[in-house]
Amino acid sequence: MERTLTIIKPDAVAAGHIGDIIKIFESNQLTIKAARLVSLTKKEAEGFYAVHRGKGFFDSLTSFMSSGPALPMVLEGDDAIARLRKLMGATNPANAEEGTIRKLYAQDIEHNAVHGSDATETAAFEIAYFFPGIDLA
Ligand code: ATP
Ligand code: MG
C-alpha cells in the first residue's frame, strides 16, 4: 500500500467536477484517507509549489491555485503514486490520453484539473503540507 496527495484544482472545483473525479479514484481502487476543502492564500500556493519557484509560470500558477476553493486529498492504494499519475494524464491536456482526468476535464496546461505527487519523497512532503499531524483514516 502506498499513499499519495492529489488536489482537485480550482478550475475543476468551479466547473463542478469534484464528483466525477472522485468517481474515477474510487473505481480505480484509490481510497480517500483524508480530504479538506481549502482556499489557499498566494503564499500557501507558493509554499506548495516551491520546487517551481523561478520558472516562467510560477506566478501565474500560484495565482490560479489561490483563485478559489481546491480539494486536497490523501489517496491510498497499491502503487498509488504511479497509478494516480497515469489516471491524471499528461500535464498538457492536449497531450493527455483518452479517458484520463485531464483529457476529460482540463482546459489547458495550467488549468489542468488535478495534481498528483510524482515520487515517494514529494508525496510525504505534500501530505504533511495539507494534513500536518493528522491521523489518517
Ligand atoms: P502537478 O505537479 O500539478 O501534478 P505535473 O507534475 O503534471 O502537475 P509540473 O511540471 O509539476 O506538472 O507543473 C506543476 C503545474 O504547473 C502543472 O500541473 C500546471 O498546472 C502548471 N504548469 C506546468 N507547466 C506549465 C506551463 N508551461 N505553463 C503554465 N502552467 C504550467
Ligand atoms: Mg508536478
Side-chain angles (χ1 to χ4, degrees):
M1 282 297 201
E2 189 173 66
R3 284 175 178 170
T4 188
L5 184 98
T6 187
I7 304 175
I8 301 181
K9 295 186 180 184
D11 59 327
V13 173
H17 292 311
I18 288 177
D20 300 314
I21 293 171
I22 287 181
K23 185 81 204 159
I24 293 175
F25 297 154
E26 290 182 329
S27 11
N28 284 276
Q29 291 74 50
L30 290 171
T31 305
I32 299 171
K33 303 299 285 186
R36 220 186 121 197
L37 193 71
V38 296
S39 291
L40 295 178
T41 64
K42 182 91 155 73
K43 286 259 172 302
E44 287 166 337
E46 288 171 359
F48 180 76
Y49 276 122
V51 292
H52 294 302
R53 192 178 284 280
K55 293 187 186 161
F57 59 82
F58 183 73
D59 185 59
S60 172
L61 169 64
T62 52
S63 293
F64 159 57
M65 289 300 290
S66 55
S67 67
L71 184 62
M73 290 185 279
V74 177
L75 301 179
E76 184 179 85
D78 284 330
D79 200 20
I81 295 172
R83 285 200 305 115
L84 170 63
R85 298 281 299 185
K86 185 137 180 61
L87 289 172
M88 285 161 49
T91 309
N92 186 342
N95 304 325
E97 280 182 47
E98 286 302 326
T100 60
I101 295 169
R102 283 168 168 168
K103 184 70 176 189
L104 288 165
Y105 304 121
Q107 273 88 74
D108 56 51
I109 192 169
E110 178 174 281
H111 307 91
N112 61 1
V114 277
H115 164 82
S117 308
D118 59 10
T120 316
E121 307 73 51
T122 47
F125 167 81
E126 292 174 359
I127 290 170
Y129 196 83
F130 285 110
F131 302 96
I134 285 179
D135 244 352
L136 299 180

